[in-house]
Amino acid sequence: MPLDLSPFDRAVSQLETFYDLSLQPQDQPVMSEALRMAAIQAFEYTYELSVKMLRRFLEMTEPNPAALDDATFQSLIRLGSERGLLKSDLPVWMDFRRQRGTTSHAYDAAKAAQVHAAIPAFLADARFLLDELHRRSEGL
């Protein structure tokens, strides 16, 4: 059964859209804040989905998929990097993970700005992963 990448396609596309909109000047501060929060929420969802899609693809393609059942985040990212599925390596993905964790705590404007600023780097990595998964899934 092929890997259904359509949810990941939509998530990356929505993140790109909301991030771009969040950069547009707004007449109303409330609208600016709402767009920034929408971009951060899209980042949260897309990050979670990127890790799940990486795991699913590796489970479909690795010689011993059962070995991935108990794989830690670090080992999953290392394996994805070794297989050329990821643009960046573990330290960068650890930072994405830290940024994702930051969003789940009480709202803080400075933390929100920090997460928002990390979105372009994450988008580049998410787009790279998505493109690789599409390319490699064609033969499955």
Side-chain angles (χ1 to χ4, degrees):
M1 182 169 149
L3 183 61
D4 179 11
L5 293 169
S6 59
F8 194 26
D9 277 319
R10 281 190 304 277
V12 170
S13 178
Q14 286 175 342
L15 178 55
E16 289 170 338
T17 299
F18 286 127
Y19 181 74
D20 288 346
L21 286 171
S22 74
L23 298 176
Q24 300 300 315
Q26 300 294 321
D27 296 347
Q28 302 171 352
V30 172
M31 183 58 78
S32 293
E33 182 69 12
L35 290 170
R36 189 170 31 259
M37 296 310 296
I40 290 170
Q41 188 171 19
F43 161 73
E44 294 171 0
Y45 178 74
T46 306
Y47 167 82
E48 296 294 337
L49 198 52
S50 66
V51 174
K52 287 179 183 176
M53 289 294 169
L54 174 62
R55 179 180 294 276
R56 287 180 189 161
F57 182 81
L58 290 172
E59 287 172 346
M60 293 173 67
T61 58
E62 284 299 297
N64 184 9
L68 293 168
D69 289 346
D70 297 323
T72 64
F73 172 81
Q74 290 87 345
S75 61
L76 184 69
I77 297 302
R78 281 187 192 106
L79 183 58
S81 187
E82 288 170 9
R83 299 296 184 260
L85 294 165
L86 300 175
K87 180 179 179 209
S88 301
D89 57 5
L90 182 60
V92 172
W93 277 86
M94 289 296 290
D95 187 55
F96 295 151
R97 186 178 193 198
R98 185 182 56 75
Q99 296 292 347
R100 169 59 183 100
T102 298
T103 64
S104 64
H105 300 295
Y107 179 77
D108 176 304
K111 289 179 182 177
Q114 181 183 12
V115 172
H116 188 262
I119 290 174
F122 173 73
L123 256 172
D125 276 77
R127 175 59 65 191
F128 185 90
L129 172 60
L130 179 60
D131 291 346
E132 282 300 307
L133 293 179
H134 272 296
R135 188 175 69 76
R136 297 179 190 202
S137 291
E138 290 174 3
L140 295 180

